[in-house]
Amino acid sequence: MTLRPVRYAASWVLPVSAPPIRDGAVLVDARGRIAAVGPAAAVPTPDDAERVDLGEAALLPGLVNTHCHPELAALRGLLDDLPFDDWIPTLLAAKRGAALDHEDYVLAARWTCAEALAAGMTTLAATEASAAAAQACREAGLRALVYRETFGPDPAQAEASLAELAAAVDQLRRGETDLVRIGISPHAPYTVSDRLFRMVADYARAEALPVAVHAAESVVEVELVRAGTGRFAAGLRARGIATPPRAASTIALLEATGILGTRPLIIHAVYVDADDRHRLADHGATVAHCPIANARLGHGTAPLLEMLERGIVVGLGTDSVASNNRLDLLEEARAAQLGQRVRHASGTLLPSDELLRLATIDGARALGIDDRVGTLEPGKDADLCAVSFAGCNIVPVHDPVSALFHAARGSDVVLTVVRGRILYRDGRCLTLDVEAMRPRLDAAAAALRRARDAWRPRSG
Ligand SMILES: [Zn+2]
């Protein structure tokens, strides 16, 4: 795609790799790369360049969401206030009962893409059971790493699960682009047998596929892994699946089955003790920290500070709107700080400049794309967002980074750009027709609601 150079100016530019610049500018070349960053007076305006003056706003690297489920957009608010061991079966029952088709999931994923762009996200790391997010992110123009999920708690299912995964990945890889890449995700210890974990680890290594896994998320998962007890274990035994103790911890299980050797993205990592953090750091695994979903589902507060101190690379994730129920990475960063301050009874931990790194360059590092995005530096791809600083909720701005996380919200975003292409500006998504999507999303939501209400969660 041929672009014109664009010179963006704003009252604040936050390069992340350098201190904030008052009255700054960023020049983006015709290939969608950053050509210059600095005080406005020092950034040239080529003759053929378009000028975009953002006024009172912060211009920063696009936000990197290291964990979401775009295909679940129609489940927002559907499962509120259920305990986790009912939440998962109710989600599955609602999806099954609603009998949504592939196009419904693609539509939901498009909806999530529009929501993400409106909140300044330029990269999504998505896990999914369908092929919806990869298609939607391509259409939206987003950068994405899409991990195709595989399931199979019964060891006897492992070959069939792997064969199904490999066939899906073959298909998905044909649609890979420079911006949308494919990975795999053995879903979680309560849905994947040790045997399937081992086979997936071998497959990932042979095919050089990135791996993500939901892990160390909840008490019921810890009980299952450590002792073979609890409600997840009871559910598996009811299906004729044995539940012996598997390992000292989920992270130890992932190490023993070879998953940790693939340097995976660990989603949640709430229950990770000092030994687990040692294992994660040793293997170069990274973490998607989802503080709001962890809190809303009652999982607890992840030891974020301890993971960072151990040198583990951590990015921020919103998780799905079925659990969050927002897709707002600015709020996620604020929640990450609040959680650690509550946990450690401290008023100084995780200052705003650390939140800025978590939401941008550290997320990019967690996904292995920090050579291309995550900071505003010449030569990097121009993945940008701008957040208005003109609203009543933000004025006055004493410190732009503090204002960004503690006064602004995702809804204050006014511009989102991926590799030089403007995808969202002043309330309009330029690649997706949100209004046209609405009737089908409403119909899918109604079908899910009916299916949820027809489902009778077990009691007691
Ligand atoms: Zn998730």
Side-chain angles (χ1 to χ4, degrees):
M1 182 175 310
T2 312
L3 299 164
R4 275 174 69 190
V6 184
R7 183 184 182 279
Y8 297 94
S11 61
W12 287 101
V13 169
L14 312 178
V16 182
S17 50
I21 302 165
R22 187 187 280 277
D23 295 323
V26 174
L27 177 64
V28 176
D29 71 19
R31 293 177 308 163
R33 302 234 173 97
I34 296 171
V37 181
V43 173
T45 308
D47 289 343
D48 58 342
E50 180 186 347
R51 300 172 77 118
V52 175
D53 188 352
L54 296 158
E56 272 189 277
L59 181 61
L60 62 145
L63 304 175
V64 178
N65 186 349
T66 62
H67 182 55
C68 61
H69 298 256
E71 66 186 2
L72 300 183
L75 281 85
R76 189 195 325 266
L78 189 79
L79 309 167
D80 283 7
D81 306 326
L82 289 173
F84 191 53
D85 48 3
D86 275 342
W87 190 92
I88 290 266
T90 308
L91 181 149
L92 295 175
K95 283 177 71 176
R96 208 167 40 239
L100 303 182
D101 64 19
H102 179 69
E103 190 52 34
D104 289 316
Y105 286 114
V106 172
L107 182 99
R110 286 190 194 112
W111 189 270
T112 300
C113 288
E115 190 180 357
L117 287 169
M121 285 164 229
T122 51
T123 298
L124 301 184
T127 59
E128 63 173 6
S130 70
Q135 181 179 337
C137 289
R138 274 197 305 273
E139 293 172 8
L142 272 158
R143 192 180 298 273
L145 180 45
V146 179
Y147 301 94
R148 174 52 154 79
E149 288 176 326
T150 184
F151 304 83
D154 184 344
Q157 288 173 282
E159 276 86 4
S161 294
L162 189 73
E164 191 270 347
L165 175 68
V169 166
D170 278 351
Q171 189 70 29
L172 281 163
R173 275 181 149 178
R174 280 181 218 141
E176 263 190 330
T177 66
D178 205 28
L179 290 178
V180 178
R181 310 307 296 262
I182 300 303
I184 54 176
S185 176
H187 174 257
Y190 50 88
T191 52
V192 174
S193 66
D194 294 4
R195 187 149 175 265
L196 181 55
F197 272 134
R198 283 198 184 86
M199 291 169 71
V200 168
D202 290 343
Y203 172 63
R205 266 193 296 274
E207 296 288 324
L209 284 160
V211 175
V213 55
H214 290 81
E217 179 180 6
S218 65
V219 169
V220 276
E221 177 202 317
V222 170
E223 288 175 333
L224 170 72
V225 169
R226 288 172 62 101
T229 58
R231 288 184 64 174
F232 277 159
L236 290 172
R237 282 197 301 273
R239 293 167 61 184
I241 300 167
T243 61
R246 290 160 75 180
S249 70
T250 295
I251 303 302
L253 176 70
L254 296 180
E255 184 177 50
T257 52
I259 291 290
L260 224 47
T262 67
R263 304 186 64 196
L265 176 72
I266 303 292
I267 303 159
H268 294 294
V270 177
Y271 293 93
V272 287
D273 63 14
D275 288 344
D276 291 330
R277 297 195 288 273
H278 182 76
R279 290 183 181 101
L280 292 172
D282 251 21
H283 287 281
T286 62
V287 168
H289 177 51
C290 308
I292 294 178
N294 293 342
R296 277 183 55 70
L297 286 166
H299 294 327
T301 311
L304 170 61
L305 207 74
E306 292 87 337
M307 290 193 279
L308 295 174
E309 282 170 359
R310 194 64 187 71
I312 298 163
V313 175
V314 181
L316 297 173
T318 56
D319 210 344
S320 76
V321 295
S323 55
N324 187 312
N325 311 355
R326 296 182 183 163
L327 204 76
D328 182 343
L329 216 66
L330 298 179
E331 184 180 60
E332 210 69 43
R334 179 170 154 90
Q337 186 209 63
L338 298 179
Q340 296 307 303
R341 290 192 177 188
V342 169
R343 183 179 166 91
H344 295 280
S346 162
T348 57
L349 294 175
L350 287 177
S352 300
D353 57 342
E354 284 192 41
L355 300 185
L356 180 59
R357 285 195 293 275
L358 284 173
T360 57
I361 187 64
D362 287 353
R365 288 170 68 204
L367 302 179
I369 54 173
D370 49 306
D371 58 328
R372 300 184 61 182
V373 298
T375 58
L376 303 184
E377 294 179 88
K380 277 197 169 178
D381 286 1
D383 283 21
L384 317 170
C385 71
V387 181
S388 171
F389 273 0
C392 295
N393 56 315
I394 302 171
V395 173
V397 174
H398 299 292
D399 175 321
V401 186
S402 167
L404 182 66
F405 291 105
H406 299 297
R409 303 187 185 97
S411 52
D412 294 308
V413 167
V414 290
L415 174 82
T416 307
V417 176
V418 174
R419 205 166 60 184
R421 188 176 170 209
I422 297 176
L423 303 179
Y424 176 85
R425 191 165 177 188
D426 297 330
R428 273 195 59 223
C429 182
L430 304 179
T431 44
L432 297 167
D433 185 344
V434 176
E435 278 311 306
M437 288 190 259
R438 183 64 198 276
R440 188 157 183 165
L441 189 88
D442 285 344
L448 286 161
R449 205 159 47 242
R450 281 193 301 274
R452 177 202 61 186
D453 294 343
W455 161 252
R456 295 280 175 268
R458 67 200 184 289
S459 55

